[in-house]
Amino acid sequence: MNEIFRGMLTASRRTVFVLITLILSTATLQAASDYKSSTEYRALRDSVHHAFNDGDSARFFASIYQFEKYLINQNDLHAYYTQRCNEIVFELNRQNIFEAYMLSVRLSRELTDRKLHKEMYMAINMMGHIYHYSGNNASAKRCFWEVIRMMEKEGYQESIPPIYMNLVNIVISEDSEEALRLIDQAASLARETSPEREFDIEARRTLAYYRMGDMKRFDIGYQAYKEGEAKGLSSVHGRSLEVYHLVRQGNIDEAVRLANESMDDRYSTIAEIYSSVGRWQEAFEMQKKDMAETDSINSLLLSSSLQGIQTELERYEQENKETLRHLYGVAAIATLLLLLVLALIYIVKTRQRHLREIRKAYQRALESDKIKTLFIQNVSHEVRTPLNVISGFAQLMADPERNLSNEECRYMSDMVVHNSNRITLMLDEVLMIAAQESSAEEEKVAIRCNDFMRNIMKELHICSEKKNLIRASYETKVTDDLEVYTCKKVLRTILYQLLDNAIKNTDSGSITLKAVATTSQLMLAVEDTGIGVPAEEAEHIFERFVKLDPFKDGLGIGLSFCRTMAQRIGGSVTLDQSYTGPGARFVLTLPL
């Protein structure tokens, strides 16, 4: 029956897969008998062919039943059961998974009852396709491996390569190396038993290289495909190869056009193409269309299955009224159908959840990319300035033709040391924040508030050029015995960051750390007389890599870090917008 299905390769995504498998798996027909050259045989065969191609169910089943009756009369059971498999394929292509399943069960029972063990691989092969169609890949793989074992035992060597390719289609997304090993086995066996299949298998291998990102071997495979095509060979994977070759050539719009015209999974393929060149908005739109199409197919499958179940239950209910002999059979079938419905519902829910997770991961990836870019820009800017100073003064000091005075050399040396310290402090800040955010939460201890704050102010470092211009002090309205129960190291880091931020933005005046307590909270305020913060920027400054003055030192991550770490210990950090200034007041609130 190979001739019947040669032109049926333009249906749905799953339709193409099932048809190709059936064409190849039924290639074990015995040597043609005399009746196959008769006019009647060709007329019946062509009638089935055209009805299948047109998707006309009434005409197809009428034609195939007549053809099957003819084959039974010719005593060709192999050809007869091949046509029974074609009935299952037809139902799968119409997305009638329930009907296809029932036909497979009946086929298996009939082969068992007739003791046709040599042909049992047909029923198992059909069940493998049904499992794969329904998303149960584990069961599908078990079926296809069993088919290979039976074919080897019965001597159907020439039909094994397409079964290997069925397995490739399942494992390619799980284990690409395993997929290549299966392709190697299929190609080796085809070379010995059915050379006409080798070209198609090698085309599938080339697609696998593309999926793995091995573009060198993909290009080599594509060249081999074009050479075979020039010799008159063809492959069902040819369109896909042409699309991905256009992507490799940078001809994205032509690749999208060809994929849209000729590929059944066009939306997911186009989304992949756009993603590969960074056209994220178009990729997102194509992904939405693909999800909508998948959800539509899932709904159709579920609706069809439910309708089939309803019809089956009504039939058995009527039979049960006529006799009680079939009671146990009805119960068994009802249980089977219920399990099938649950399996289908589970498949739909699992796919929907998976798609939601993909969307969330996609958004997280975009956000991470944005943060990475900002981080690189800020670090580049902050490091470049002191490096330029260091490089410039180093060149001047190393120039033997310049007669520099001791005072000039001392000044240049101080500037080199100062800017080296700037880079060191900046990197230390990044490493400290990364270590704090990724470390496990420390044990909380009781801290005497006033003693702890006074020590913080003693350890406070104000750069030499501001030391005589800025006064630092601690003011408290809490008693010396007041204790706060929190993580000591985290609290110290937050206060250092807030005070350091005040020093960076204050050229002269004062910096004050204040402590006030209520019945349930301790409020620590850092006030400065610096440049202040505009009201519209009150929340914006707590975002990562935000600096109101791009010429100030730092990476713009201190305030964001303070808020994150405060939340870890149950507190909060805010900008007091009621503060009239001059300068700004940041308030750290902790529970007592």
Side-chain angles (χ1 to χ4, degrees), residues 256-320:
V256 168
R257 184 195 65 77
L258 183 59
N260 194 47
E261 289 179 355
S262 61
M263 297 184 69
D264 302 298
D265 54 342
R266 58 187 183 279
Y267 293 134
S268 60
T269 301
I270 294 173
E272 177 188 356
I273 293 171
Y274 282 142
S275 298
S276 68
V277 295
R279 292 165 65 171
W280 304 113
Q281 182 61 37
E282 292 160 293
F284 178 69
E285 293 299 326
M286 288 298 107
Q287 187 67 23
K288 285 200 301 184
K289 290 183 178 181
D290 185 61
M291 287 187 290
E293 182 179 80
T294 302
D295 287 343
S296 175
I297 291 174
N298 289 337
S299 299
L300 182 61
L301 287 174
L302 187 58
S303 174
S304 173
S305 298
L306 288 173
Q307 181 61 45
I309 291 168
Q310 181 64 32
T311 302
E312 197 71 12
L313 287 174
E314 290 176 357
R315 183 173 66 84
Y316 279 104
E317 183 178 359
Q318 183 62 35
E319 291 179 356
N320 191 50

Side-chain angles (χ1 to χ4, degrees), residues 21-254:
T21 305
L22 183 63
I23 293 167
L24 297 174
S25 64
T26 58
T28 60
L29 292 175
Q30 301 166 354
S33 304
D34 292 339
Y35 76 87
K36 292 185 179 179
S37 60
S38 68
T39 303
E40 183 180 7
Y41 171 82
R42 288 197 297 270
L44 291 171
R45 179 198 62 190
D46 293 341
S47 177
V48 174
H49 178 151
H50 296 306
F52 192 107
N53 251 0
D54 296 337
D56 187 336
S57 59
R59 190 156 52 90
F60 171 77
F61 284 109
S63 299
I64 202 165
Y65 291 155
Q66 189 176 2
F67 193 22
E68 288 170 358
K69 183 178 179 181
Y70 174 82
L71 293 171
I72 286 290
N73 292 335
Q74 300 300 324
N75 200 29
D76 191 342
L77 292 181
H78 186 97
Y80 166 76
Y81 283 110
T82 297
Q83 297 309 311
R84 292 284 295 276
C85 291
N86 293 343
E87 293 180 33
I88 299 170
V89 172
F90 187 80
E91 291 291 2
L92 279 178
N93 291 344
R94 297 169 65 207
Q95 299 177 348
N96 293 334
I97 188 171
F98 174 81
E99 288 79 1
Y101 172 79
M102 294 304 297
L103 287 174
S104 292
V105 170
R106 292 168 190 163
L107 174 62
S108 178
R109 289 175 180 169
E110 188 172 326
L111 290 170
T112 301
D113 292 340
R114 293 193 175 190
K115 296 182 170 41
L116 297 173
H117 304 300
K118 190 173 182 179
E119 312 300 338
M120 185 57 73
Y121 78 91
M122 293 185 179
I124 299 175
N125 190 33
M126 290 297 100
M127 287 303 300
H129 290 307
I130 292 172
Y131 281 133
H132 188 201
Y133 193 98
S134 303
N136 188 347
N137 288 338
S139 296
K141 285 193 285 188
R142 284 196 296 271
C143 287
F144 291 138
W145 280 117
E146 179 62 13
V147 170
I148 290 174
R149 186 193 67 78
M150 295 179 70
M151 284 183 167
E152 288 176 342
K153 179 181 177 182
E154 301 299 340
Y156 293 140
Q157 299 295 326
E158 69 274 18
S159 295
I160 295 178
I163 309 302
Y164 277 125
M165 301 311 292
N166 293 344
L167 290 166
V168 168
N169 290 328
I170 296 175
V171 306
I172 186 67
S173 60
E174 305 169 356
D175 187 345
S176 56
E177 295 298 328
E178 175 64 14
L180 285 179
R181 285 193 292 271
L182 290 170
I183 291 173
D184 287 339
Q185 289 177 275
S188 176
L189 194 55
R191 202 172 297 118
E192 296 175 2
T193 61
S194 49
E196 70 279 1
R197 294 191 179 119
E198 187 177 359
F199 182 74
D200 193 74
I201 293 172
E202 291 301 326
R204 184 66 180 88
R205 185 199 302 275
T206 302
L207 282 181
Y209 288 148
Y210 187 90
R211 294 293 183 187
M212 294 167 60
D214 191 342
M215 296 308 168
K216 181 177 180 180
R217 288 199 284 183
F218 170 80
D219 292 339
I220 295 172
Y222 175 79
Q223 185 61 37
Y225 164 75
K226 295 302 290 183
E227 291 173 1
E229 187 181 53
K231 297 176 182 178
L233 301 176
S234 64
S235 169
V236 295
H237 307 298
R239 287 288 188 176
S240 298
L241 289 175
E242 295 294 350
V243 168
Y244 292 127
H245 176 68
L246 288 171
V247 174
R248 289 281 294 141
Q249 298 300 311
N251 198 343
I252 304 303
D253 292 334
E254 181 61 18

